[in-house]
């Protein structure tokens, strides 16, 4: 039987564990003030893994101070993410929306559509739909249930309800050519009223020698926000692969206008080992009551399904 170190003997706890715990707690609570903007918000939920690591090190080095220090990041994590652990309890909803980056290399479009329709959605938004694959996706949607469709560039929308005013959404960054078209807008005539529906696929974030290359994505997000601010309809739904988590500062022009649900982590990317939710359903005038992921398809993203209420 051994005894935990205490007082002056607990040098490892004082020099390593306590500062480490304070650093993690500080990053969790004050992440908005950390320079950058994309990397930390993406991995922020995973800082909770520091708690078992601190506890393990404390036991290994017999550090009583380390055990106490682990409480700080634990409390900070619960303050930010504790609500994610509370089940939504099957809240009532008026609409079901599915968002999925289906991948331009998806080998099974028909199987992907079948998987998405298991949730009986009212709206289905897809990205990375190549012109060659679009007919196969379209044929997989039952015409009796989803008679309304619009597609522009590599994004598409299927709906149970009539779609009016369909058109492209210009979110192309200044650095990209005219063949880059990854946005659309339409108005869904639902039983509870008209809703402007946006489908958007923002540019990817690429690591580079100076950090994460977010300029094009941020440019696209600003253009999307401009369109949202000018939207005349009170009720709006945005479905898309935004290549950013909701906490990413590059997405603030959009998230300052729309809201989503955070009761579940619903990590959507990468499909093999999801670490972040970069696929989103966001709203204005409606409430996203729950978000969850669906089973993997032939894509490198997981689909997400959201319940929406008036």
């Amino acid at each position: 039987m051994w005894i935990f170190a205490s007082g002056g003997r607990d040098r490892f706890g004082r020099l390593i564990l306590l500062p480490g715990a304070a650093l993690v707690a500080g990053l969790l609570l004050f992440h908005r003030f950390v320079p950058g903007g994309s990397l930390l918000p993406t991995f922020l939920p995973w800082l909770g893994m520091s708690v078992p690591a601190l506890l393990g090190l404390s036991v290994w080095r017999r550090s009583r101070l380390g055990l106490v220090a682990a409480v700080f990041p634990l409390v900070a994590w619960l303050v930010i993410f504790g609500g994610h652990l509370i089940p939504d309890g099957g809240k009532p909803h008026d609409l079901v929306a599915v968002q999925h980056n289906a991948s331009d290399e998806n080998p099974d479009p028909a199987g992907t559509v079948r998987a998405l329709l298991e949730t009986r959605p009212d709206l289905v938004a897809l990205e990375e739909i190549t012109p060659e694959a679009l007919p196969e996706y379209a044929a997989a949607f039952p015409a009796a249930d989803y008679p309304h469709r619009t597609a522009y560039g590599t994004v598409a929308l299927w709906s149970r309800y009539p779609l009016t005013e369909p058109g492209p959404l210009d979110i192309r960054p200044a650095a990209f050519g005219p063949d880059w078209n990854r946005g659309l807008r339409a108005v869904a005539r639902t039983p509870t009223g008209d809703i402007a529906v946006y489908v958007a696929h923002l540019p990817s974030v690429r690591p580079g020698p100076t950090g994460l290359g977010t300029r094009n994505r941020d440019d696209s997000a600003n253009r999307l926000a401009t369109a949202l601010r000018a939207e005349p309809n009170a009720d709006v739904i945005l479905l898309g692969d935004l290549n950013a988590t909701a906490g990413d500062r590059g997405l603030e022009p959009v998230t300052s206008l729309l809201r989503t649900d955070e009761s579940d982590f619903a990590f959507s990317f990468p499909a093999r080992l999801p670490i972040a939710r970069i696929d989103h359903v966001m709203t204005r005038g409606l409430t996203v009551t729950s978000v969850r992921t669906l089973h993997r398809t032939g894509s490198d993203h997981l689909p997400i399904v959201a319940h929406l209420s008036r």
Side-chain angles (χ1 to χ4, degrees):
M1 181 176 180
W2 47 271
I3 302 173
F4 281 94
S6 60
R9 293 184 298 148
D10 194 359
R11 189 174 182 183
F12 187 79
R14 287 186 290 107
L15 298 180
I16 304 296
L17 300 181
L18 184 58
L23 174 62
V24 173
L27 288 173
L28 284 162
L29 294 174
F30 305 107
H31 62 275
R32 292 187 178 277
F33 302 100
V34 177
S38 293
L39 189 60
L40 181 57
T42 298
F43 294 99
L44 199 65
W46 297 100
L47 290 183
M49 297 302 295
S50 65
V51 175
L54 285 167
L55 291 174
L57 285 171
S58 299
V59 172
W60 175 51
R61 295 303 298 259
R62 307 179 184 183
S63 171
R64 183 179 302 171
L65 184 59
L67 292 176
V68 175
V71 173
F72 298 126
L74 174 61
V75 171
W77 191 92
L78 289 174
V79 167
I80 299 175
F81 298 111
H84 292 50
L85 306 177
I86 302 173
D88 60 49
K91 299 175 183 176
H93 58 273
D94 300 302
L95 291 170
V96 179
V98 164
Q99 148 62 26
H100 189 32
N101 180 328
S103 174
D104 55 9
E105 298 179 350
N106 192 322
D108 186 15
T112 295
V113 172
R114 286 194 299 271
L116 303 182
L117 297 188
E118 289 180 2
T119 62
R120 301 181 61 83
D122 300 293
L123 299 167
V124 179
L126 299 179
E127 296 84 47
E128 292 198 13
I129 305 301
T130 64
E132 297 76 18
L134 181 58
E136 189 171 354
Y137 280 102
F141 280 88
D145 295 325
Y146 299 92
H148 310 287
R149 183 197 84 194
T150 183
Y152 288 93
T154 56
V155 298
L157 174 68
W158 279 263
S159 172
R160 290 186 184 273
Y161 309 116
L163 296 174
T164 64
E165 306 175 31
L169 174 67
D170 185 8
I171 57 172
R172 183 172 63 247
F176 291 179
D179 59 338
W180 193 96
N181 297 290
R182 301 196 335 191
L184 68 81
R185 173 195 176 272
V187 176
R189 292 276 177 93
T190 76
T192 58
D194 289 358
I195 303 172
V197 182
Y198 287 68
V199 181
H201 183 190
L202 302 190
S204 300
V205 173
R206 304 296 184 190
T210 59
L212 292 179
T214 64
R215 177 178 298 179
N216 291 324
R217 187 210 57 194
D218 295 350
D219 185 356
S220 190
N222 279 311
R223 293 169 188 268
L224 174 58
T226 298
L228 290 168
R229 279 192 293 268
E231 173 57 50
N233 286 275
D235 296 336
V236 177
I237 300 173
L238 168 64
L239 306 113
D241 172 6
L242 305 185
N243 273 304
T245 63
D248 193 312
R249 267 171 272 175
L251 211 58
E252 282 184 355
V254 175
T255 55
S256 65
L257 302 172
L258 305 179
R259 293 291 180 267
T260 189
D261 176 79
E262 297 184 354
S263 64
D264 194 336
F265 291 110
F267 297 143
S268 64
F269 183 82
R272 288 185 181 275
L273 185 64
I275 60 172
R277 188 203 301 183
I278 63 173
D279 296 272
H280 299 279
V281 178
M282 299 183 178
T283 60
R284 181 180 78 194
L286 299 94
T287 300
V288 182
T289 60
S290 68
V291 178
R292 63 182 177 89
T293 55
L294 301 177
H295 293 300
R296 188 179 179 188
T297 67
S299 171
D300 56 344
H301 291 241
L302 293 179
I304 65 168
V305 56
H307 289 174
L308 314 175
S309 67
R310 290 284 187 174

